[in-house]
Amino acid sequence: MSGDLTLQQLHQWRATLEAKFAVDGDLTVKTNPRRTGYHEFEILVPGYGLPLQAKIVHREFYSRSGDRWHLARYTYHLAEYARGGKFGYHWHPLAGAHRGRGSIFHIICDRAGAGARRHFCAHQMGILEAHEALMQRVASDHPIDCAGLYRLDR
């Protein structure tokens, strides 16, 4: 959800996301009472006692300014178990050559058996857009592939 939210809107947004993600697999929702602006949704796909294909974990961190809350960073992440590999849309600070640049929109991609995951250029993604893209990856017949992504460390 874009824009600044009241606390009530933030809670409603969490409830909306919970209802949306519950249909895609076994859902676990985590919040932190000391960090009102944090929520995490872990979805085991397909769940419900069937063989596990993937785990999707969405984390959002909201910052408070006065009585309003705004999205400050996120990780929307897929770990495939059936074919291996990891893929995610992230927005947070990076270490190394990118230190001090603040939060950077990026993709992480680790093709099955390829070794260390890499960071790639990306644009901002909303949680629902990212969830749909990650669910499409799970449903496809293709393993995670990082081809065509532009590396950040070049």
Side-chain angles (χ1 to χ4, degrees):
M1 175 172 261
S2 61
D4 289 341
L5 306 174
T6 64
L7 185 57
Q8 178 187 5
Q9 290 169 325
L10 180 61
H11 289 302
Q12 182 59 49
W13 180 235
R14 286 180 185 151
T16 299
L17 293 172
E18 186 172 346
K20 164 72 176 145
F21 299 149
V23 300
D24 291 327
D26 286 334
L27 174 67
T28 302
V29 180
K30 297 177 184 173
T31 59
N32 183 333
R34 290 176 290 192
R35 295 187 70 191
T36 302
Y38 171 80
H39 53 238
E40 175 181 308
F41 302 92
E42 179 184 276
I43 306 119
L44 300 177
V45 181
Y48 309 108
L50 297 171
L52 184 61
Q53 288 181 284
K55 176 169 69 172
I56 295 175
V57 180
H58 300 308
R59 293 180 186 99
E60 290 190 323
F61 303 84
Y62 285 79
S63 294
R64 183 175 164 186
S65 179
D67 65 346
R68 308 298 276 187
W69 294 84
H70 64 277
L71 186 60
R73 63 185 203 271
Y74 61 71
T75 61
Y76 309 137
H77 197 79
L78 163 67
E80 280 206 341
Y81 296 116
R83 293 180 295 255
K86 296 177 181 174
F87 191 92
Y89 302 101
H90 291 197
W91 176 39
H92 57 80
L94 292 175
H98 301 284
R99 186 182 311 266
R101 289 181 46 192
S103 293
I104 298 172
F105 297 111
H106 59 282
I107 290 171
I108 63 98
C109 186
D110 180 5
R111 189 171 45 90
R117 72 179 173 185
R118 301 277 187 235
H119 294 89
F120 299 89
C121 294
H123 64 278
Q124 185 173 8
M125 294 283 282
I127 192 170
L128 295 176
E129 178 185 16
H131 183 73
E132 183 67 26
L134 296 176
M135 286 299 293
Q136 286 177 3
R137 283 187 177 273
V138 172
S140 79
D141 289 332
H142 307 290
I144 289 175
D145 185 2
C146 308
L149 298 175
Y150 186 77
R151 285 189 36 186
L152 277 175
D153 57 356
R154 287 187 180 177

